[in-house]
């Protein structure tokens, strides 16, 4: 096949200011970029990080900038490999997740571009919500469909970070782990009420203006973007029982999520299709479960890129072989057709 473009997509590296993860995602990423992306030739190449690339959440502007620089300094091999990609003309895309939402701050996104591609900052792009490549793919982290992580007004993060946003319920629970359980439960209750209020604000004119601006950036119809923004909704009456069930199972060492494409992925893809913007690939992360499958009543193929951290879930080969790192590849032919899917990369070449 004569390719016009190749997309590499991966997620959930969770790079922080320490480098103590046994899987060493930062060092492995540098190898992957050098041996796969930089070694490739021919088509236009894109590398998309589908959320939770960095541990960058709950910080003000100055703290976010300092933390980003500290993370890149702590992972020099990764930093140099990303620089090399940008210098070679590889387009780097960063979709924000619930752990690196502060990356959407204009000043932080600009600093990331300046650090990785000072000569051509436009080779670095940051997406507060999702990435849309017309007729090819859509990629979102996936936390917007998980009530406990959902930020209804997520586009405000690209205006002023999280300064004017309330914490989602699960973030509120984890914000102060040293406090009493009763205090943390109270924080979750307040976060639930705040999320309910935010869901109402999403339907008002002020937020609709942000949606219109995002529709232009994403090359999507305004009504389609509005419908996608309202696709999932936080409701306390349904979220809290789910949260309680998860906590009980987690205490018993069990997971409740299944190894199948989430229903919300199908609804997202079908919404795009209904508005005339169907794509052959829907890519997400967040669950740490690498998976590829069909979507119900939809021609779109679902891929979850799993995680490169040690918190591996699901039943993929990365569960038993911690030297297997999941990613997705999508090749675009010159006639517009696509091919690809879930892959596993091993540093030893196995």
């Amino acid at each position: 096949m004569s390719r016009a473009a190749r997309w590499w997509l991966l997620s959930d590296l969770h790079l922080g200011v320490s480098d103590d993860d046994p899987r060493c995602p930062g060092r492995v990423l540098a190898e992957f970029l050098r041996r796969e992306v930089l070694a490739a030739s021919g088509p236009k190449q894109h590398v998309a990080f589908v959320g939770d690339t960095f541990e960058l959440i709950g910080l003000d502007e100055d703290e976010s900038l300092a933390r980003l620089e500290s993370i890149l300094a702590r992972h020099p091999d990764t930093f140099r490999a990303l620089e090399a990609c940008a210098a070679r003309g590889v387009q780097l895309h960063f979709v924000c997740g619930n752990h690196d939402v502060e990356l959407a701050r204009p000043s932080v996104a600009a600093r990331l571009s300046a650090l990785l591609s000072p000569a051509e900052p436009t080779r670095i792009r940051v997406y507060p919500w999702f990435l849309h490549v017309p007729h090819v793919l859509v990629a979102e982290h996936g936390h917007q469909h998980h009530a406990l992580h959902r930020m209804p007004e997520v586009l405000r993060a690209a205006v002023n970070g999280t300064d004017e946003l309330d914490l989602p319920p699960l973030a509120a629970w984890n914000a102060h782990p040293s406090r009493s359980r009763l205090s943390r439960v109270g924080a979750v209750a307040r976060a639930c009420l705040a999320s309910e209020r935010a869901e109402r604000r999403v339907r008002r004119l002020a937020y609709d203006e942000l949606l219109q601006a995002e529709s232009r950036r994403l090359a999507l119809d305004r009504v389609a973007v509005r419908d996608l923004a309202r696709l999932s909704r936080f409701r306390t009456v349904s979220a809290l029982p789910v949260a309680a069930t998860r906590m009980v199972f987690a205490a018993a060492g069990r997971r409740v999520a299944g190894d199948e494409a989430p229903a919300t992925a199908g609804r997202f893809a079908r919404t795009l299709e209904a508005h005339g913007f169907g794509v052959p690939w829907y890519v997400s992360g967040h669950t740490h479960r690498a998976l590829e499958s069909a979507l119900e009543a939809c021609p779109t193929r679902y891929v979850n890129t799993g995680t490169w951290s040690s918190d591996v879930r699901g039943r993929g080969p990365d569960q038993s072989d911690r030297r297997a790192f999941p990613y997705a590849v999508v090749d675009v032919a010159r006639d517009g057709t696509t091919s690809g899917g879930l892959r596993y990369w091993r540093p030893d070449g196995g």
Side-chain angles (χ1 to χ4, degrees):
M1 179 182 69
S2 179
R3 292 197 302 265
R6 166 166 283 185
W7 286 80
W8 314 80
L9 303 103
L10 57 151
S11 71
D12 295 86
L13 280 87
H14 293 280
L15 301 179
V17 293
S18 66
D19 192 23
D20 54 359
D21 190 305
R23 293 187 88 196
C24 305
R27 274 175 278 174
V28 175
L29 174 64
E31 288 186 58
F32 175 81
L33 293 174
R34 285 195 296 266
R35 290 163 55 181
E36 299 296 329
V37 178
L38 289 172
S41 60
K44 173 64 178 177
Q45 295 201 88
H46 301 260
V47 178
F49 297 92
V50 192
D52 287 3
T53 308
F54 307 110
E55 285 295 321
L56 198 67
I57 185 173
L59 307 172
D60 63 25
E61 184 171 8
D62 291 340
E63 292 170 336
S64 298
L65 292 167
R67 177 71 62 84
L68 176 65
E69 293 185 1
S70 295
I71 291 172
L72 292 174
R74 190 67 182 85
H75 300 274
D77 289 345
T78 300
F79 181 29
R80 287 192 290 268
L82 290 169
E83 274 188 308
C85 285
R88 282 273 299 274
V90 178
Q91 190 73 50
L92 301 177
H93 307 262
F94 293 84
V95 179
C96 294
N98 52 298
H99 280 257
D100 54 9
V101 64
E102 301 296 351
L103 198 61
R105 285 180 182 271
S107 60
V108 179
R111 183 68 58 86
L112 181 68
S113 297
L115 289 169
L116 298 184
S117 186
E120 189 59 63
T122 57
R123 288 189 182 147
I124 314 299
R125 297 178 183 172
V126 176
Y127 306 82
W129 181 11
F130 67 91
L131 160 68
H132 171 241
V133 184
H135 313 297
V136 178
L137 64 86
V138 64
E140 63 170 339
H141 185 58
H143 63 293
Q144 285 296 94
H145 307 300
H146 180 187
L148 300 180
H149 288 296
R150 177 169 167 77
M151 300 177 66
E153 300 175 286
V154 65
L155 291 181
R156 295 197 186 282
V159 178
N160 53 17
T162 56
D163 292 344
E164 297 180 8
L165 295 177
D166 295 294
L167 288 175
L170 195 55
W173 172 262
N174 292 321
H176 301 286
S178 62
R179 291 183 180 176
S180 69
R181 185 173 293 271
L182 182 61
S183 174
R184 297 170 75 189
V185 167
V188 169
R190 291 189 293 274
C192 287
L193 292 174
S195 292
E196 295 271 14
R197 290 193 295 267
E199 292 288 4
R200 292 192 290 271
R201 289 195 295 270
V202 165
R203 286 159 168 74
R204 295 175 184 170
L205 179 60
Y207 197 75
D208 194 56
E209 292 174 354
L210 293 179
L211 291 172
Q212 288 187 48
E214 189 70 0
S215 73
R216 292 190 291 270
R217 192 167 79 113
L218 292 171
L220 282 171
D221 178 77
R222 178 180 61 85
V223 178
V225 172
R226 183 203 63 195
D227 289 350
L228 291 171
R230 300 176 183 180
L231 192 62
S232 294
R233 183 176 181 179
F234 178 87
R235 292 180 174 85
T236 303
V237 68
S238 58
L240 290 186
V242 171
T245 301
R246 288 179 180 273
M247 291 174 66
V248 170
F249 275 83
R254 297 174 59 188
R255 302 280 188 184
V256 296
D259 294 305
E260 57 187 22
T264 51
R267 293 200 297 270
F268 197 105
R270 289 191 295 273
T271 299
L272 284 175
E273 189 176 20
H275 287 282
F277 295 97
V279 292
W281 300 93
Y282 172 99
V283 183
S284 73
H286 186 55
T287 66
H288 290 201
R289 291 174 171 82
L291 175 69
E292 179 178 351
S293 70
L295 290 175
E296 184 179 356
C298 181
T300 302
R301 193 84 178 153
Y302 172 81
V303 178
N304 189 298
T305 47
T307 182
W308 285 32
S309 76
S310 292
D311 186 20
V312 178
R313 307 167 198 171
R315 300 177 183 174
D318 51 336
Q319 183 65 258
S320 57
D321 179 3
R322 293 307 176 94
R323 298 296 285 170
F325 295 86
Y327 68 98
V329 63
V330 175
D331 285 323
V332 185
R334 297 193 184 280
D335 64 0
T337 58
T338 67
S339 61
L342 180 64
R343 304 285 187 268
Y344 290 88
W345 186 75
R346 291 174 172 82
D348 59 7

